[in-house]
């Protein structure tokens, strides 16, 4: 595990707040719908994954993850912390905010309903 300085820790806190505010306007609705349909779920690494194979869901996952990846890189660079730390923090937040009935990936790598 990486040792994080006080500044780095504060950066992660800020990063967590920023991640929660990252806009996914039109895509948020489609992501929410895909989650409600049980096609995608949140993973501990801060990205969404396919729960069930579906071409439309796969395209959405690729697009959303590319946007998240860039946001995480920007946050990490701006706060002087490793991108992996931002991804893990975001993953924990996104999983904790998942609605009941949505899929999340557990520590064993299995999809479970929250």
């Amino acid at each position: 595990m990486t040792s994080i300085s006080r500044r780095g820790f504060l950066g992660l806190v800020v990063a967590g707040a920023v991640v929660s505010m990252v806009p996914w306007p039109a895509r948020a609705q489609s992501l929410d719908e895909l989650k409600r349909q049980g096609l995608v779920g949140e993973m501990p690494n801060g990205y969404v994954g396919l729960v069930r194979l579906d071409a439309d869901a796969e395209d959405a996952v690729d697009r959303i993850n590319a946007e998240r990846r860039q946001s995480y890189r920007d946050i990490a660079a701006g706060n002087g912390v490793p991108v992996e730390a931002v991804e893990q923090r975001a993953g924990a937040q996104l999983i904790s905010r998942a609605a009941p009935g949505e899929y999340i990936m557990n520590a064993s790598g299995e999809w479970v309903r929250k």
Side-chain angles (χ1 to χ4, degrees):
M1 179 164 226
T2 306
S3 174
I4 298 177
S5 67
R6 177 174 161 74
R7 179 176 178 264
F9 177 76
L10 291 175
L12 285 177
V13 172
V14 170
V18 171
V19 167
S20 68
M21 296 184 301
V22 172
W24 289 295
R27 293 174 296 280
Q29 185 176 15
S30 63
L31 175 59
D32 288 344
E33 183 59 32
L34 292 170
K35 287 180 178 182
R36 279 192 292 279
Q37 292 174 8
L39 297 173
V40 303
E42 294 291 348
M43 300 187 300
N45 65 359
Y47 298 99
V48 290
L50 287 173
V51 175
R52 292 185 310 191
L53 290 180
D54 179 271
D56 292 335
E58 186 172 5
D59 290 343
V61 163
D62 290 344
R63 185 185 68 245
I64 291 162
N65 285 341
E67 292 172 2
R68 286 186 180 186
R69 187 171 296 107
Q70 187 58 53
S71 293
Y72 298 159
R73 286 179 183 153
D74 294 345
I75 291 166
N79 291 286
V81 297
V83 70
E84 294 83 8
V86 176
E87 291 169 335
Q88 289 179 0
R89 175 74 173 147
Q93 286 184 344
L94 292 164
I95 285 173
S96 73
R97 291 192 317 221
E102 291 181 352
Y103 281 94
I104 58 172
M105 185 175 280
N106 66 18
S108 301
E110 300 170 318
W111 290 112
V112 296
R113 284 197 185 264
K114 185 170 179 187

